[in-house]
Amino acid sequence: MENRFKTILTLGLILISMITMNAQKQKMENTALLIIDVQNDYFPGGKMTLENAEQAAEKTKRILEYFRKNNLPVIHIKHISTNEGAAFFLPDTNGARINQLVLPEEDEKVITKHFPNSFRGTDLLNDLQSNKIKNLVITGMMTDVCVEATTRAAFDFGFNNTIIGDATATRNRELNGEVVKAAEVQRSFLAGISALGNLYARVINTKEFLSK
């Protein structure tokens, strides 16, 4: 009798687990992960080091692992500088390579861009539409430049956006001769893009996303 009870309990737990996994999979249907510009020049020793780049990349890696585990689409965005006077992400340099923490796998799409907006001059929109993607989970760098530009453009194209705030990073800025700390820039831009009831994007952290 005891063994039968244990068997029934085990089968019940397996069934609950399967139902939960199926519900989660349905919840994430038509959703893709965008990893924007997690490239070596943004890391210590690079030509445009960001604050907390390594920590943001580690968070991005966790989100990436979730998408891979659940067989959900992943798109890596890689910036290559072609404008005159560019100082980083130069063609054929180590700094322009995607960081090892989030290296693409063979079946993951890599899109090369030359502007902050990942849609401009690329096939990103066509790729998302052809795969019936409606929802984007966005991570990457820099928060106030390429992440913001891509997110706002995605909204204009009709996508529902979620930014993983602690999986993004930026650096100190200067305005009218005064330094604006990276943490202030980060907080302000994430607050702005999620204003008006998350109009352009909902901003959550990695722990919150993975606990859904």
Side-chain angles (χ1 to χ4, degrees):
M1 187 69 176
E2 184 178 348
N3 288 338
R4 184 181 178 186
F5 175 76
K6 288 181 178 179
T7 301
I8 293 173
L9 179 61
T10 300
L11 291 174
L13 291 173
I14 292 173
L15 179 60
I16 291 172
S17 178
M18 291 176 65
I19 291 172
T20 301
M21 289 176 64
N22 186 57
Q24 180 69 358
K25 187 174 182 180
Q26 289 181 347
K27 190 176 182 180
M28 294 296 291
E29 280 184 358
N30 308 117
T31 299
L33 172 64
L34 289 189
I35 301 177
I36 301 174
D37 302 353
V38 183
Q39 296 166 247
N40 288 334
D41 269 338
Y42 281 155
F43 290 78
K47 295 181 178 179
M48 184 60 66
T49 306
L50 306 186
E51 293 284 336
N52 300 318
E54 292 170 305
Q55 293 90 325
E58 288 285 356
K59 302 291 187 182
T60 299
K61 180 182 178 181
R62 292 180 60 192
I63 302 296
L64 174 58
E65 289 171 346
Y66 171 89
F67 272 75
R68 286 173 173 170
K69 179 181 178 181
N70 289 280
N71 297 312
L72 295 166
V74 174
I75 299 176
H76 300 259
I77 307 296
K78 178 181 179 181
H79 191 99
I80 297 297
S81 298
T82 56
N83 54 303
E84 185 177 352
F88 63 101
F89 291 166
L90 301 178
D92 302 316
T93 62
N94 181 63
R97 294 191 180 97
I98 293 175
N99 188 264
Q100 61 180 358
L101 286 170
V102 294
L103 282 177
E105 294 186 344
E106 289 185 7
D107 61 339
E108 294 172 354
K109 189 172 184 66
V110 179
I111 290 178
T112 298
K113 68 178 176 66
H114 306 296
F115 299 94
N117 174 6
S118 300
F119 292 92
R120 182 177 174 180
T122 73
D123 64 348
L124 176 58
L125 180 59
N126 288 335
D127 186 76
L128 294 173
Q129 291 178 337
S130 64
N131 286 287
K132 297 180 170 54
I133 299 301
K134 298 178 181 179
N135 310 300
L136 298 177
V137 175
I138 300 170
T139 67
M141 306 168 184
M142 294 184 275
T143 310
D144 51 323
V145 186
C146 297
V147 171
E148 186 196 32
T150 299
T151 301
R152 292 188 185 276
F155 168 80
D156 289 339
F157 285 124
F159 294 97
N160 302 309
N161 304 312
T162 298
I163 295 177
I164 310 299
D166 57 357
T168 65
T170 188
R171 69 199 312 262
N172 292 349
R173 301 297 184 194
E174 185 176 319
L175 179 64
N176 298 326
E178 294 185 8
V179 174
V180 182
K181 294 293 185 180
E184 296 177 47
V185 176
Q186 178 86 354
R187 184 168 57 253
S188 296
F189 273 84
L190 291 178
I193 209 163
S194 61
L196 302 176
N198 300 322
L199 179 63
Y200 285 96
R202 181 173 63 120
V203 178
I204 61 176
N205 60 37
T206 300
K207 183 178 179 181
E208 185 180 354
F209 177 83
L210 295 177
S211 66
K212 291 193 302 180

